[in-house]
Amino acid sequence: MDTEQLIRDVVKNVLLKLSQEGLIDSSSSIKQNQGKDRKIVTGVSVRHIHLCREHIDILFGKGYILNILRELYNPGYACKETLTIVGPKLTAIQNVRVLGPPRSKTQVELAKTDCIILGIDAPVRESGNVAGSGSCVLVGPKGAVYLEEGVIRANRHLHMSTADAEFYGIKDNQLVDIRVPGPKGLTFNNVQVRVAPDFKTEFHVDTDDGNAADLVNGSIVEIVDASCITALEPQMADSDKIPPTIPDASFVGEIQDPNVLKNICSIAAGVPVSTENIKQAVSQVITTTTTEKSKVLNKVDSNNLASNDSNLVQNSSLTKKILITVSDLDKYAQTGITVTKDVILSPLAKDEAIKRGIKVIYEFN
Ligand SMILES: [Zn+2]
């Protein structure tokens, strides 16, 4: 038991004894606690993914068991495994951490900035409520999954042990306000309290909220009562009063993950790959129905990535295609690369080949 908990227990028992002896009004003891020592610790949640069993099988292989990297402060663990998320704009975020244990439904938790990069309009939701939320493609080492719903921006929430909730006089699901000190200090509203016996008291925010207030893991913040402030309805100014936005061209990078390229190239089935082709291929994936999509993606999995010779991409018409990525360039250092209709040279590999002085010849027809 930590010192803080010990002090709370002692205070609680003293207050209880005093109230039993009629020396204080027992109803005021909780009120007193509400005003005091409401300092709690912060955990900043970086973008992450919870996976269901079915999706682990597709992304990492049948029966795959996730490896624990480290236990989290609250129940759960960070896994060694990461995935690439591809959005409808064909931009990707790589190395997104998987969190365990597996859940009944796959859930991707992003910050608003991540959503802007990926072009996903993800709603603010409490964890587990994914109906009608955002969609994306998840790419793993053994396959890809089209996730029709499951992308959310997690709401600000406060994990609380049952003992602490009782001490503070706070109930499960209650909304509280959290005050952050410092030069970027602010008060966060609409923080949902989630009480469970196995929780440790911890304020959870995403990286956008965390960065806005200069919060890091371990920052001490305070539960405050801002209920005296009148609630505001979200509003927009009249159109003539809206300041112009600066045009955004901050993310124009091509996908560089060979897994993404291999999956997408084989979806494109036989067409020499260019950024434009990749875009088309994925928009096809994203506009077909879910069942068709998972069929296509499973096929990619079994035909392409499970194969030992990862250079051979087999398409639906059973013609063998050769996919050349950066890691294959050494093999072509002497001979140069001849791109025919049966050879797919990834955009990154093309740039790298030119940089290394490897000759690239195009022969179509
Ligand atoms: Zn949490």
Side-chain angles (χ1 to χ4, degrees):
M1 185 184 289
D2 58 33
T3 326
E4 192 186 328
Q5 190 63 49
L6 192 72
I7 293 167
R8 275 182 201 163
D9 287 349
V10 169
V11 170
K12 201 161 115 186
N13 287 333
V14 168
L15 288 171
L16 189 69
K17 195 135 191 285
L18 289 173
S19 71
Q20 279 166 353
E21 290 168 6
L23 294 171
I24 57 160
D25 174 8
S26 63
S27 65
S28 72
S29 65
I30 284 174
K31 277 212 177 93
Q32 279 175 12
N33 292 340
Q34 282 178 345
K36 281 183 187 170
D37 184 30
R38 304 182 95 187
K39 294 199 166 59
I40 52 164
V41 73
T42 304
V44 179
S45 302
V46 182
R47 62 178 91 91
H48 62 268
I49 301 166
H50 302 277
L51 291 172
C52 68
R53 185 63 248 175
E54 184 201 343
H55 291 162
I56 296 172
D57 287 345
I58 298 170
L59 295 162
F60 295 100
K62 191 112 193 97
Y64 187 89
I65 304 292
L66 296 169
N67 293 290
I68 299 177
L69 176 69
R70 79 175 76 89
E71 297 286 340
L72 301 175
Y73 186 65
N74 263 293
Y77 50 87
C79 302
K80 288 182 182 160
E81 290 76 13
T82 60
L83 295 170
T84 294
I85 304 176
V86 186
K89 288 199 320 194
L90 245 274
T91 44
I93 299 181
Q94 302 180 40
N95 303 318
V96 182
R97 187 70 54 195
V98 174
L99 297 193
R103 291 194 178 180
S104 59
K105 275 191 152 184
T106 293
Q107 178 173 303
V108 178
E109 296 181 38
L110 301 176
K112 176 86 177 182
T113 309
D114 304 326
C115 293
I116 293 168
I117 290 169
L118 294 167
I120 299 172
D121 186 13
V124 177
R125 291 282 180 83
E126 73 180 283
S127 185
N129 177 9
V130 294
S133 59
S135 42
C136 72
V137 173
L138 297 176
V139 185
K142 290 285 171 66
V145 166
Y146 174 77
L147 196 64
E148 190 175 54
E149 61 180 24
V151 185
I152 62 165
R153 290 183 285 142
N155 68 351
R156 298 165 186 153
H157 59 274
L158 173 54
H159 294 265
M160 207 170 234
S161 66
T162 312
D164 280 358
E166 200 181 302
F167 177 82
Y168 289 129
I170 289 173
K171 291 193 173 55
D172 189 32
N173 270 319
Q174 187 180 333
L175 297 179
V176 297
D177 303 292
I178 297 280
R179 187 166 67 144
V180 182
K184 295 284 258 178
L186 51 78
T187 299
F188 286 112
N189 303 128
N190 304 322
V191 181
Q192 183 198 19
V193 178
R194 289 160 58 190
V195 181
D198 59 337
F199 279 171
K200 287 183 188 158
T201 300
E202 184 185 22
F203 173 46
H204 270 181
V205 284
D206 64 23
T207 44
D208 280 1
D209 274 355
N211 291 338
D214 265 355
L215 286 170
V216 292
N217 277 349
S219 294
I220 297 293
V221 295
E222 192 180 16
I223 307 170
V224 291
D225 185 3
S227 56
C228 55
I229 298 165
T230 318
L232 272 181
E233 283 298 317
Q235 272 184 308
M236 278 297 286
D238 299 335
S239 56
D240 58 328
K241 288 181 186 142
I242 299 173
T245 43
I246 299 164
D248 179 24
S250 57
F251 195 92
V252 291
E254 281 181 299
I255 297 172
Q256 298 179 0
D257 185 319
N259 284 323
V260 178
L261 290 171
K262 280 174 186 166
N263 277 290
I264 293 168
C265 291
S266 42
I267 294 163
V271 186
V273 72
S274 66
T275 312
E276 209 38 56
N277 290 334
I278 296 176
K279 276 189 185 163
Q280 273 174 13
V282 167
S283 61
Q284 276 165 18
V285 174
I286 286 168
T287 48
T288 16
T289 68
T290 320
T291 37
E292 273 170 12
K293 263 168 242 157
S294 46
K295 261 188 238 155
V296 172
L297 292 166
N298 283 327
K299 193 167 191 174
V300 169
D301 175 22
S302 54
N303 282 351
N304 177 17
L305 295 158
S307 132
N308 283 333
D309 186 354
S310 59
N311 286 334
L312 292 178
V313 180
Q314 214 170 14
N315 72 20
S316 50
S317 62
L318 300 174
T319 321
K320 290 205 168 171
K321 301 262 168 197
I322 297 165
L323 172 68
I324 302 170
T325 64
V326 174
S327 55
D328 306 313
L329 287 179
D330 285 343
K331 283 184 261 173
Y332 299 92
Q334 302 302 320
T335 57
I337 300 165
T338 306
V339 183
T340 64
K341 62 179 172 49
D342 294 328
V343 174
I344 298 167
L345 177 62
S346 82
L348 193 69
K350 182 184 153 196
D351 293 348
E352 186 62 24
I354 292 165
K355 216 188 284 174
R356 293 194 204 170
I358 301 172
K359 211 179 265 173
V360 181
I361 304 159
Y362 290 86
E363 282 178 4
F364 293 110
N365 51 64

